[in-house]
Amino acid sequence: MNNREVADLFEKIAHMLSIRGDVVHRVLAYQKAAEAVRELGRDINQVYAEGRLTEIAGIGSTLADKIGEMLTTGELEFYERLSQEIPPTLVDLLRVEGMGPKRVQQVYETLGVTTLAELTAVARAGKLKELPRMGAKSEQRLLTAIEALAKHGDDRTPIGEAWPVAQAILAELQTLPGVVNTAVAGSLRRMRETIGDVDLLVAAAAAEPIMAHFCAMPQVERINGRGPTKSSVILHSGLQVDLRVLPPERWGTLLSYFTGSKNHNVRLRELALKQGLSLNEHAFTPTTGGDEILCASEEAVYATLGLPFIPPTLREERGEIEAALAGSLPQLIQQSDLISDLHMHTTWSDGKMSVLDMARAAQADGLRYIAITDHSVSLGIANGLSVERLWQQAEEIAAANAQLGPDFRILHGTEMEIKADGSLDFPDEVLAQLDFVIASLHTSLSQPRDQVTGRLLNAIYNPHVDMIAHPTGRLLPDRPGADLDMDQVLAAAAATGVILEVNANPSRLDLRDSHVRRAVELGVKLAINTDAHHVNHFALRHYGVATAQRGWATAVAIVNTWPLPKLLAHLHRNRHG
Ligand code: DGT
Ligand code: CA
Ligand code: CA
Ligand code: ZN
């Protein structure tokens, strides 16, 4: 067995235990072990052979013994026994939005459902609605969720997983002798929210030593293909990585070609043909014969076509060629434009660090002000704050502001629950005393479109609400989030000045790129926030910036570029009509 198979089995066991109703810490132990094995940069068989499994964080002697059993016999007795009790196919049911472990156990015990197909069948036959705490509406919602899963449940990797892996490999290749340049290409360079495979490029005079090093990296499980300038490997994590190596004088066409998108490239080649040139990854070539035109930079590629440089995040053939031809490309928002972060958590709720820790790290990160926005009381699972604790927190924030002095400011905010019935978690008198009020959907996301949209609109029209965080509540890769009527939400945000968030956490990226684009067109104010629960999460900001760029956002649209007085004036205007 390889890393992925061991990790998958642990993950499956964790899910089976949760369906059986086991204690949380046991479930978590298997989940953590699965993650640790998946992220291990080395072949697990080798670590086992060296007798060093217990040196992996989260792997104690019991789990190490289980890994040993899997690696030597290809089986796990514990799993076989558990399978007698909880059919492993039940785990598939958890991928349906709205199916938690309890509900899976319920359909298994009452209706004998063990597979997704059987679940679909009993739902279609109208048998689900007979169950306690179900009903015709829940049944319909599950059917919709099953269809959504069938449509979107593919094998793409969230960008947050692929990005660090690619950066680590590039950093290693960069150190090899003869390497002039390295870059990510493909969907990863365009910063799509999910990645099919990772494309890496290297500029070097001699390709062979780089190919040899790449294919021999310890993360590599197997080699799909290996040629003189191109190799493709599968990592232990299951991720496919393609590498191309070309000489430096061809870097521009190489980078342009493999960054894509395919449709963007098609348009570039059409423009080239109009000038009597054919274009590929190696060069421009006159169609009538003659010398190649080499491009050492992408700027040179675009210049040859009579175009300004088009940033990779725009290269999706969504109007960027026309805009470039017309000289009207947007001045995209840059990370260096951001001076604030308006959504983060501390140990007051489910964050890992104090108010002062978060503030100091934000200041060190170049920010000038932040909002501390811990959860509100009804999100008990995240230790949400009661009104009483909220006022205690106000004192701590005042003290921290006094300590930090005039160059930095902490706003006292909340991330307030929009409850299932549409009401808000704090009364208006409380909200009126806070500096910054976020309203969020975390629960009952699978309500029908009208109902869940109505909840969000109610929050937007409350005069004390300043921002809606992660509007749809989706989680990548396969929790689609609320089925919002986005036209209504965007129109309401535009009309009220309520800010919509582009949550930078790569498992959210919510608003997504296409919604950002519509928001920008409607003049909606947007914020790029990390939703940090730890100072390390500030490093995720670039995913939010890229998502905003993919939505053609400029600095004008992003409130985090505003000096604090401008933001406060905007909020004040909203609160008083
Ligand atoms: P992915 O991997 O599915 O997330 O998406 P990409 O865009 O990374 O696609 P991939 O890995 O198949 O190819 C990387 C880039 O190489 C792609 O964006 C454009 C270029 N490319 C690949 N195949 C073709 C092709 O047949 N024609 C053209 N014009 N470009 C291609
Ligand atoms: Ca790719
Ligand atoms: Ca590829
Ligand atoms: Zn949050």
Side-chain angles (χ1 to χ4, degrees):
M1 287 173 80
N2 61 30
N3 295 38
R4 181 164 25 103
E5 288 161 338
V6 171
D8 286 351
L9 193 60
F10 275 163
E11 198 168 288
K12 201 180 229 182
I13 290 172
H15 288 314
M16 288 161 77
L17 292 174
S18 75
I19 293 168
R20 189 169 75 173
D22 264 51
V23 289
V24 175
H25 77 253
R26 194 144 182 248
V27 174
L28 278 179
Y30 278 95
Q31 244 158 31
K32 282 196 178 136
E35 265 168 51
V37 173
R38 207 182 296 283
E39 284 165 21
L40 190 68
R42 303 183 56 209
D43 184 353
I44 186 102
N45 288 281
Q46 212 174 332
V47 180
Y48 171 67
E50 293 166 11
R52 298 169 68 175
L53 284 176
T54 53
E55 289 177 31
I56 303 169
I59 308 285
S61 59
T62 316
L63 287 172
D65 288 348
K66 290 198 165 74
I67 294 174
E69 186 187 338
M70 285 187 242
L71 296 181
T72 49
T73 67
E75 281 172 4
L76 185 63
E77 212 220 327
F78 171 69
Y79 170 73
E80 304 301 332
R81 268 188 286 124
L82 186 60
S83 305
Q84 306 289 310
E85 214 181 316
I86 304 290
T89 47
L90 283 177
V91 172
D92 297 339
L93 274 54
L94 290 171
R95 296 174 59 216
V96 178
E97 173 111 31
M99 290 296 291
K102 287 209 179 99
R103 190 141 271 176
V104 173
Q105 186 185 44
Q106 184 191 31
V107 296
Y108 173 52
E109 288 191 347
T110 56
L111 300 170
V113 166
T114 58
T115 64
L116 209 47
E118 289 169 5
L119 181 70
T120 315
V122 294
R124 290 213 174 111
K127 287 187 197 155
L128 278 186
K129 62 173 183 282
E130 319 284 342
L131 298 177
R133 298 175 55 242
M134 282 292 283
K137 277 189 184 161
S138 317
E139 189 175 67
Q140 188 48 49
R141 245 175 279 144
L142 279 179
L143 272 173
T144 312
I146 291 168
E147 279 163 26
L149 181 66
K151 239 187 275 165
H152 303 292
D154 59 4
D155 269 353
R156 299 182 67 83
T157 303
I159 189 169
E161 284 173 37
W163 181 265
V165 173
Q167 295 305 322
I169 297 176
L170 278 189
E172 188 174 328
L173 296 180
Q174 183 74 56
T175 65
L176 298 180
V179 169
V180 179
N181 227 334
T182 62
V184 293
S187 52
L188 194 54
R189 182 158 181 249
R190 305 196 311 277
M191 301 296 281
R192 271 191 67 175
E193 62 191 36
T194 61
I195 305 301
D197 66 5
V198 171
D199 301 282
L200 301 180
L201 306 177
V202 167
E208 176 47 35
I210 292 147
M211 288 300 169
H213 185 98
F214 175 71
C215 293
M217 294 184 309
Q219 303 95 304
V220 172
E221 183 191 312
R222 70 193 148 82
I223 297 167
N224 259 358
R226 189 173 161 180
T229 62
K230 177 190 161 163
S231 295
S232 178
V233 301
I234 308 288
L235 305 184
H236 293 301
S237 62
L239 194 60
Q240 178 178 326
V241 184
D242 294 352
L243 172 69
R244 278 127 185 140
V245 184
L246 279 189
E249 59 273 20
R250 298 180 189 273
W251 180 247
T253 41
L254 176 72
L255 191 52
S256 161
Y257 184 91
F258 287 109
T259 297
S261 64
K262 227 179 214 173
N263 292 336
H264 178 88
N265 289 355
V266 167
R267 294 293 305 278
L268 295 187
R269 282 203 302 271
E270 284 172 8
L271 288 175
L273 281 175
K274 279 192 193 155
Q275 303 185 37
L277 298 170
S278 75
L279 168 63
N280 63 18
E281 67 266 45
H282 300 282
F284 287 98
T285 315
T287 44
T288 52
D291 288 346
E292 287 180 333
I293 305 169
L294 303 189
C295 294
S297 72
E298 274 191 326
E299 282 78 1
V301 174
Y302 285 104
T304 306
L305 296 170
L307 296 176
F309 178 80
I310 300 178
T313 45
L314 294 186
R315 299 182 198 171
E316 298 291 350
E317 159 65 342
R318 291 179 186 155
E320 73 278 9
I321 306 274
E322 287 74 10
L325 285 167
S328 60
L329 281 171
Q331 285 289 320
L332 295 180
I333 179 77
Q334 303 296 320
Q335 181 152 353
S336 55
D337 297 333
L338 306 181
I339 60 167
S340 74
D341 191 332
L342 298 170
H343 180 176
M344 68 187 67
H345 301 270
T346 71
T347 45
W348 282 88
S349 65
D350 61 349
K352 298 282 175 275
M353 310 196 73
S354 71
V355 169
L356 203 54
D357 288 339
M358 296 304 279
R360 287 217 162 105
Q363 192 172 23
D365 214 26
L367 300 186
R368 302 232 287 272
Y369 62 97
I370 59 172
I372 296 288
T373 57
D374 278 302
H375 293 287
S376 65
V377 61
S378 79
L379 202 64
I381 190 169
N383 192 25
L385 273 64
S386 62
V387 174
E388 195 188 350
R389 288 180 67 221
L390 193 63
W391 300 145
Q392 288 167 10
Q393 187 186 41
E395 288 171 25
E396 182 171 321
I397 287 176
N401 270 323
Q403 204 168 334
L404 290 166
D407 294 339
F408 192 83
R409 175 79 183 276
I410 308 169
L411 301 178
H412 186 207
T414 178
E415 182 180 15
M416 172 179 59
E417 285 306 293
I418 302 171
K419 294 195 273 189
D421 66 1
S423 65
L424 300 176
D425 217 4
F426 288 134
D428 285 358
E429 312 84 82
V430 169
L431 300 182
Q433 295 178 63
L434 291 167
D435 298 325
F436 192 70
V437 174
I438 302 177
S440 296
L441 297 169
H442 289 113
T443 57
S444 304
L445 293 176
S446 54
Q447 286 173 345
R449 169 174 273 225
D450 285 351
Q451 194 178 354
V452 75
T453 305
R455 278 164 78 195
L456 208 60
L457 292 177
N458 182 47
I460 291 175
Y461 284 115
N462 181 300
H464 299 287
V465 169
D466 299 309
M467 188 185 91
I468 303 295
H470 46 70
T472 74
R474 71 166 180 170
L475 290 175
L476 291 165
D478 50 28
R479 294 265 166 162
D483 178 24
L484 293 175
D485 182 335
M486 206 39 87
D487 288 334
Q488 278 198 60
V489 171
L490 294 176
T496 56
V498 167
I499 301 159
L500 298 185
E501 181 176 70
V502 181
N503 192 291
N505 189 303
S507 57
R508 291 196 181 274
L509 301 179
D510 182 11
L511 297 175
R512 59 179 303 161
D513 51 7
S514 52
H515 292 153
V516 171
R517 181 94 181 257
R518 281 158 64 194
V520 166
E521 284 163 6
L522 291 168
V524 173
K525 298 298 172 221
L526 298 169
I528 300 171
N529 300 318
T530 58
D531 196 355
H533 288 64
H534 189 287
V535 297
N536 291 343
H537 296 161
F538 290 149
L540 302 176
R541 201 177 316 279
H542 69 106
Y543 296 111
V545 174
T547 300
Q549 289 184 345
R550 289 178 57 84
W552 293 47
T554 65
V556 176
I558 308 292
V559 302
N560 310 77
T561 65
W562 295 353
L564 181 58
K566 180 169 174 184
L567 178 76
L568 294 178
H570 176 78
L571 303 182
H572 189 266
R573 191 192 67 211
N574 285 339
R575 286 177 187 206
H576 298 275

